Amino acid sequence: MEKKVFASSFALVLILSSATAYAHPGRTDSNGGHYCRTNCAKWGLQDGEYHNHNGGRSSSSSSSSSSSSKSTPKKSTAKPAYKESGLRVYVNGNKLSFSSEPLIYQNTNLVPLREIAEGLGATLNYDNNSGTIGVTKGNSKMTLTIGSKIVFYNGSSETVSAAPKVIKGVTYVPAQVFARGLGAGIELDSINNSLKITY
């Protein structure tokens, strides 16, 4: 009887530990994190959102307790992946209003997809399953994919500096890449933190 109880208890421990280990699948990078691709809402994340597997915190209690035994404490060098930019966007001299603040990510200006598309008079076709964004305006066609730096302009591919991202439920696209893909002229004024788009 005791052997059966022990075996059952041991099996239960193995099941629980394996469930914990596989609770959030996905390979991690050298920083211990990755971009969420599956069941993101289940883990409180957005599709394409970067996060760490140490609970999303920049440091853990184990690192703080072990730091006293080392001569130089190890501090987290992780920086926020993105931040609000305050970028002002103008189309043919008219300032666009965004309900979500434009962001800066990897030195690239990101703006909300729907609002920049509306401001440029473009038509969107968004495939939620594949994360593919089709954009058309006149004879210009562009295809972007969430998490991919490869953009197609009228069928020709180009690698750009930053991929479209979903952040807090809002899809963001690289502002200059998006405007140029629709055949618009762009002028970035870094002193006044503004982007002028003209047709």
Side-chain angles (χ1 to χ4, degrees):
M1 179 70 177
E2 289 180 2
K3 287 184 179 179
K4 286 184 180 178
V5 171
F6 176 77
S8 299
S9 300
F10 184 71
L12 183 61
V13 168
L14 284 177
I15 290 169
L16 290 175
S17 63
S18 64
T20 302
Y22 294 105
H24 192 164
R27 294 183 179 170
T28 57
D29 59 19
S30 60
N31 295 323
H34 69 156
Y35 293 96
C36 187
R37 293 280 181 252
T38 56
N39 298 322
C40 302
K42 181 178 179 181
W43 312 113
L45 302 167
Q46 301 295 329
D47 290 343
E49 183 175 348
Y50 185 86
H51 62 282
N52 289 318
H53 274 211
N54 64 355
R57 294 178 175 87
S58 60
S59 62
S60 65
S61 57
S62 60
S63 64
S64 61
S65 62
S66 62
S67 63
S68 57
S69 63
K70 296 179 182 178
S71 58
T72 55
K74 188 175 182 180
K75 292 184 178 178
S76 172
T77 57
K79 295 180 180 177
Y82 53 85
K83 63 180 181 178
E84 292 184 359
S85 67
L87 180 72
R88 294 185 304 279
V89 179
Y90 298 87
V91 176
N92 293 332
N94 298 315
K95 184 180 177 185
L96 295 185
S97 295
F98 297 108
S99 58
S100 298
E101 182 69 24
L103 305 174
I104 190 87
Y105 175 77
Q106 295 179 343
N107 296 320
T108 301
N109 287 303
L110 300 178
V111 291
L113 168 66
R114 293 217 177 268
E115 289 156 316
I116 189 71
E118 287 172 7
L120 295 173
T123 303
L124 287 180
N125 182 11
Y126 192 105
D127 185 338
N128 211 15
N129 293 326
S130 65
T132 304
I133 305 162
V135 188
T136 57
K137 180 175 172 60
N139 294 326
S140 297
K141 294 182 181 179
M142 176 174 44
T143 305
L144 307 97
T145 304
I146 301 296
S148 173
K149 292 183 179 181
I150 298 174
V151 178
F152 290 89
Y153 298 119
N154 293 325
S156 299
S157 66
E158 182 177 318
T159 301
V160 297
S161 59
K165 293 174 61 66
V166 177
I167 301 169
K168 297 182 180 177
V170 178
T171 301
Y172 283 86
V173 292
Q176 290 143 288
V177 168
F178 193 86
R180 187 167 50 88
L182 296 178
I186 51 174
E187 180 187 341
L188 180 64
D189 183 346
S190 55
I191 294 173
N192 294 309
N193 196 25
S194 65
L195 177 67
K196 296 177 182 177
I197 303 172
T198 53
Y199 277 107

